[in-house]
Amino acid sequence: MTNFLLTPIILPFFTAILLMFAPKKVYYQRVVTLVSLILTTACAVYLIQTIHTEGIQVVTFGNWPEPFGITMVADMVAMLLVTTSVIVALFTVWYSFKSIGIEREKFFYYPGVLLMLTGVNGAFLTGDIFNLFVFFEVLLMASYLLSVLGGEKGQLRESIKYILVNVISSALFVITVAFLYSVVGTLNMADISVKIAELNQPGIITTISVLFLIVFGLKAAIFPLFFWLPSAYAAPPVPVLALFGALLTKVGVYAITRTYTLFFVHDTGFTHTLLLVLSCLTILAGCIGALSTFNVKNIIIYNIVIAVGVILYGVAQMNEDGLMGAMFYIVHDMFIKAALFFLVGIMIVVTGTANLKKMGGIMRTYPTLAWTYLIAAFGLAGIPPLSGFIGKMLIVEGGLAAGNLWSSLWILLSSLIVLLSVIRIFIYGFWGEAKTLVPKESRTHYKQLLIPSMLLVLLTVAYGVGAEWITPYMQDAAEVLLHPSVYTDAVLKE
């Protein structure tokens, strides 16, 4: 049974290999990819229920005793993120059928998506810190392909910046893992936690924690390391942007969350205070960016930065409310960001521009698109009872419980700024007089783009309204994050 936890990695990986043998057969690529993602989703949901009823699932390759073998660990934190990632990939592939373009589809687009998903799921499920690096590289190599696919000038220019940042980050990652290994003598994440507890986190470990924050902060785009993200993410086509925005930064956020709740928990007065300050500055930077641009893609991209700050603020509290709120919010944000990128992608298709100042009056021709976007915008801002409300409410409660009054008020104020930034899109884009002609050819596939977008928005609504049914799973996740012994005992079988 424990080997079953590998299916979210194995299915996308072998499907990607299978697709490479027939890259020009677009219909075959689409059908096989969809079937693979549906099966992976089913496996992920089954694993979530298994973990909820039976506990954390662990498998160690080669039947080596822990901590000497390479271990994969499926706890509730990992599986909630894996399931969300697969669902987002499923909707993105569906949306891609009428948006990515036949030429890209014939040039390994779907294998690229599946290989990126392989790396993302592997990063969530690995129980070995070096293999976290390996899976990071898998997802990054696939993302390099997706970022340049099509060969447009803007993509090629921005991909250089994106690749350079990640190469530097990866090099620093290896160095930091080497430093950690030299101190604790192990790469197994559960064993690292035990060894650091035995050492009572000396100063060298705290220094290593800061290095990990820099490494993962570059990937998660926290302040001041977010400089590369807006232009690098805006260059690729909308489906690729949706995948990047929903998944890639969240892997960095997950890595910070995992290490700062499993490893570095003995000097929280320094490590988690630093994380709290950086999270607040990240939110501030994202708010300024979201209000300063009139490009619809960049507005949502800067809201990615804001969300990263909000999630990490919850993690920094190191209490049940804050951690459960962070889990609620990260799943919400993955869904809602993908949905919003889909919707602004449709806006760009029907107006021929991404500049809000050149849009207007879309509601008259496309009222369903307008109201679907408004629901998604309210969800992003955390208007109750939509999906963003529960997570942000719990994060604020966690901040208040930890005595962080002013920063908790900043989290609430940032919600108003988020609402203002996305309502600007609604006001400029959907109201007023039409400023651009709607291309006739866009009407032929408008509905085919809208259907997956609407369904994903409805899923976010269900996630918010049905929070009562999801709460037990979030409590399981918060329990693992708050009590490292739950993770270490399951892996080391103590």
Side-chain angles (χ1 to χ4, degrees):
M1 171 58 208
T2 52
N3 290 329
F4 192 78
L5 70 86
L6 300 175
T7 52
I9 302 172
I10 292 172
L11 276 174
F13 178 70
F14 281 105
T15 305
I17 294 174
L18 191 63
L19 294 178
M20 290 182 186
F21 289 101
K24 307 301 181 184
K25 297 181 179 179
V26 173
Y27 183 76
Y28 164 79
Q29 296 266 324
R30 292 176 177 180
V31 171
V32 172
T33 303
L34 271 183
V35 170
S36 175
L37 290 174
I38 291 170
L39 288 174
T40 308
T41 303
C43 293
V45 171
Y46 177 72
L47 276 167
I48 283 182
Q49 192 58 38
T50 302
I51 294 166
H52 183 60
T53 55
E54 300 179 13
I56 297 173
Q57 303 294 299
V58 181
V59 60
T60 302
F61 296 147
N63 206 26
W64 283 81
E66 293 81 3
F68 303 107
I70 295 174
T71 303
M72 306 299 290
V73 184
D75 65 350
M76 192 57 75
V77 176
M79 281 314 305
L80 284 171
L81 298 180
V82 165
T83 305
T84 307
S85 299
V86 178
I87 293 171
V88 168
L90 176 61
F91 277 96
T92 302
V93 165
W94 185 3
Y95 185 87
S96 298
F97 293 166
K98 293 297 178 181
S99 60
I100 197 67
I102 295 291
E103 290 306 312
R104 287 187 174 94
E105 288 183 291
K106 289 181 177 180
F107 208 78
F108 304 104
Y109 169 71
Y110 295 111
V113 171
L114 291 168
L115 288 173
M116 194 181 93
L117 185 64
T118 300
V120 169
N121 290 347
F124 291 145
L125 289 171
T126 186
D128 182 285
I129 192 69
F130 184 77
N131 276 304
L132 179 61
F133 164 76
V134 171
F135 282 115
F136 261 116
E137 294 309 297
V138 172
L139 71 90
L140 285 173
M141 284 189 287
S143 72
Y144 298 155
L145 166 67
L146 294 174
S147 66
V148 300
L149 200 58
E152 296 177 4
K153 183 179 179 180
Q155 289 180 256
L156 298 175
R157 181 182 65 248
E158 296 302 331
S159 67
I160 297 299
K161 182 192 303 180
Y162 175 67
I163 293 171
L164 182 61
V165 166
N166 281 291
V167 167
I168 294 171
S169 175
S170 296
L172 185 58
F173 193 174
V174 174
I175 294 169
T176 306
V177 169
F179 285 159
L180 182 62
Y181 183 77
S182 70
V183 176
V184 298
T186 182
L187 294 172
N188 182 285
M189 292 167 71
D191 200 36
I192 291 171
S193 177
V194 172
K195 295 290 174 59
I196 291 176
E198 291 173 352
L199 295 170
N200 197 29
Q201 192 166 330
I204 184 63
I205 295 293
T206 301
T207 302
I208 291 170
S209 75
V210 176
L211 289 175
F212 271 118
L213 186 58
I214 295 171
V215 169
F216 298 137
L218 267 169
K219 299 181 185 298
I222 67 171
F223 180 88
L225 307 172
F226 69 95
F227 61 90
W228 59 270
L229 185 136
S231 57
Y233 275 24
V238 168
V240 176
L241 168 57
L243 268 182
F244 285 10
L247 304 188
L248 291 191
T249 52
K250 304 310 182 295
V251 181
V253 170
Y254 164 79
I256 293 173
T257 302
R258 181 64 82 186
T259 54
Y260 270 63
T261 57
L262 185 62
F263 301 167
F264 311 119
V265 294
H266 306 284
D267 187 16
T268 56
F270 176 81
T271 55
H272 289 64
T273 300
L274 175 63
L275 186 60
L276 185 150
V277 171
L278 290 178
S279 66
C280 290
L281 292 174
T282 301
I283 295 170
L284 176 62
C287 289
I288 293 172
L291 294 178
S292 65
T293 180
F294 281 88
N295 184 295
V296 289
K297 291 197 289 186
N298 282 337
I299 290 173
I300 308 301
I301 289 170
Y302 277 111
N303 272 282
I304 296 173
V305 178
I306 297 171
V308 166
V310 172
I311 296 162
L312 292 179
Y313 181 84
V315 174
Q317 308 314 309
M318 278 304 287
N319 55 35
E320 185 176 2
D321 284 339
L323 291 170
M324 189 161 71
M327 285 305 304
F328 259 111
Y329 202 82
I330 192 171
V331 173
H332 142 79
D333 194 68
M334 291 166 78
F335 283 141
I336 203 69
K337 285 299 190 306
L340 282 167
F341 282 125
F342 290 172
L343 292 168
V344 299
I346 299 174
M347 292 175 66
I348 294 169
V349 167
V350 300
T351 61
T353 180
N355 189 338
L356 273 178
K357 293 182 178 180
K358 297 180 180 179
M359 293 184 183
I362 300 176
M363 182 183 287
R364 296 184 180 184
T365 312
Y366 302 100
T368 306
L369 173 62
W371 297 118
T372 303
Y373 172 83
L374 188 62
I375 293 170
F378 284 162
L380 178 68
I383 304 297
L386 299 175
S387 58
F389 172 71
I390 300 296
K392 194 164 287 188
M393 179 190 69
L394 287 169
I395 288 171
V396 170
E397 286 182 359
L400 294 174
N404 299 313
L405 173 62
W406 292 109
S407 55
S408 297
L409 292 176
W410 170 232
I411 299 296
L412 293 175
L413 177 61
S414 71
S415 298
L416 297 178
I417 299 174
V418 168
L419 181 61
L420 176 60
S421 70
V422 289
I423 286 299
R424 284 170 67 226
I425 296 179
F426 188 77
I427 292 172
Y428 277 86
F430 292 100
W431 285 2
E433 296 295 328
K435 295 184 179 180
T436 57
L437 296 175
V438 179
K440 292 182 180 179
E441 59 270 17
S442 69
R443 298 175 185 270
T444 60
H445 64 275
Y446 160 71
K447 289 184 178 179
Q448 292 168 310
L449 293 176
L450 185 63
I451 290 171
S453 307
M454 286 183 63
L455 289 177
L456 189 53
V457 171
L458 288 174
L459 181 60
T460 68
V461 173
Y463 179 74
V465 174
E468 181 180 353
W469 290 276
I470 301 168
T471 298
Y473 302 94
M474 296 298 175
Q475 288 173 334
D476 290 348
E479 177 75 9
V480 174
L481 295 174
L482 191 59
H483 302 289
S485 60
V486 175
Y487 184 96
T488 57
D489 290 350
V491 175
L492 301 176
K493 299 178 175 62
E494 296 178 352

